[in-house]
Amino acid sequence: MEFHPHDLLKLKGEEDLICDSPLQDWVKESLSRAPFVVVRRAPLMKKLVPVGIRGESRSERFAAFIPYDKILETITPEQLVEKTSWEQNERFHFIDALQSLPHVSKTLSRFSVNWGPTGSVGFELASNVYTAKPTSDLDLVVRTPSLLPMELAVDLRTQISKVKVRVDVQLETPNGAISLDEYSNGKSPVLLRTENGPQLVKIQEIWNN
C-alpha cells in the first residue's frame, strides 16, 4: 500500500489509533465529528502509517499512527478534484476558498499537473464536516515528479494569485515539498520539507536523486 502526505484516511474511531501519549479530549471530539486523519510527512513504519488529527484551531494538532488494516478508506487530494466535489458543497457560495476552486482548477489544467486541495478545505470536501472558515486560506498540493521550469512556476503563481483568498501551494517533489512562492522567487537556499524534517537545499538540488 502507498500513502502520501495530505492523504486523508477514514477509520472506525479513536480505538484504531496507536500513540505515545493519552488522547486529549479535543482529539476524541474531533474524531467523533469526523473519523478522518491526515497522513503526516514522516517515515513509514512496518504496517503503520504516521497520521495527524486536526482540531478546530491551528494549535490543536495530535500525532499518532494507524495500522494498515484499520484504514477503512483513503481519499487523496487528487480524488477531490476528479469529483469536483466543491460543486456539491452547500457552503460553496459562502466560503471564498471554496469559490476559488473553479478558477484554480481551470488554471492548473493548463499546466497538466496533478493537484488537489488540502488543509481545512480539503478536509471539509472529503468529510462533509464544516471545517473551512470564511477567513480560511486555500491550501493546495501540486505533484511535480520532475523539475518544474522556473518560468512555469512564476506563471503558475501569477495565475493562481488572481483569486480572492491567499493560496498556499506546496510543490510535492520526490524528495519532499517546497513552497511555490519560495521556489518561484529563484533564490537559494530554500526550505525542503522531508520525511526526516525540514532541510535547507539549493534550488538545483530539489529534484536530485
Side-chain angles (χ1 to χ4, degrees), residues 29-203:
E29 293 170 3
S30 177
L31 291 173
S32 67
R33 289 194 303 271
F36 286 88
V37 293
V38 61
V39 176
R40 291 187 285 120
R41 194 180 304 280
L44 292 175
M45 300 177 65
K46 187 176 181 180
K47 300 296 183 181
L48 294 176
V49 184
V51 297
I53 297 90
R54 57 178 299 131
E56 294 186 355
S57 67
R58 287 185 177 273
S59 63
E60 293 180 333
R61 297 292 185 268
F62 188 85
F65 295 88
I66 181 172
Y68 285 16
D69 59 3
K70 298 296 184 181
I71 298 170
L72 302 181
E73 182 182 4
T74 301
I75 302 177
T76 68
E78 293 92 328
Q79 286 175 326
L80 298 175
V81 175
E82 292 170 6
K83 297 177 181 178
T84 57
S85 48
W86 52 85
E87 295 179 353
Q88 290 79 43
N89 189 288
E90 61 186 23
R91 301 205 302 159
F92 179 82
H93 296 291
F94 306 101
I95 304 294
D96 286 345
L98 289 169
Q99 288 186 45
S100 301
L101 281 168
H103 170 79
V104 168
S105 180
K106 183 177 180 180
T107 297
L108 285 167
S109 66
R110 292 177 38 231
F111 289 83
S112 300
V113 292
N114 292 323
W115 69 280
T118 61
S120 60
V121 170
F123 193 91
E124 176 164 332
L125 292 175
S127 66
N128 294 315
V129 174
Y130 295 170
T131 50
K133 301 176 181 178
T135 56
S136 292
D137 295 341
L138 178 57
D139 297 318
L140 304 175
V141 59
V142 174
R143 309 293 182 189
T144 51
S146 57
L147 173 68
L148 178 67
M150 186 60 67
E151 61 272 19
L152 289 183
V154 173
D155 186 20
L156 177 58
R157 183 181 67 175
T158 300
Q159 296 303 320
I160 285 183
S161 66
K162 293 180 180 180
V163 297
K164 295 180 181 179
V165 298
R166 179 181 179 276
V167 183
D168 181 10
V169 179
Q170 294 291 314
L171 303 177
E172 195 70 39
T173 80
N175 298 317
I178 182 173
S179 161
L180 172 64
D181 285 348
E182 189 173 4
Y183 173 65
S184 60
N185 282 333
K187 298 178 181 179
S188 287
V190 293
L191 185 68
L192 184 70
R193 294 174 174 82
T194 77
E195 65 177 23
N196 296 311
Q199 300 176 9
L200 287 174
V201 301
K202 296 179 180 179
I203 282 183

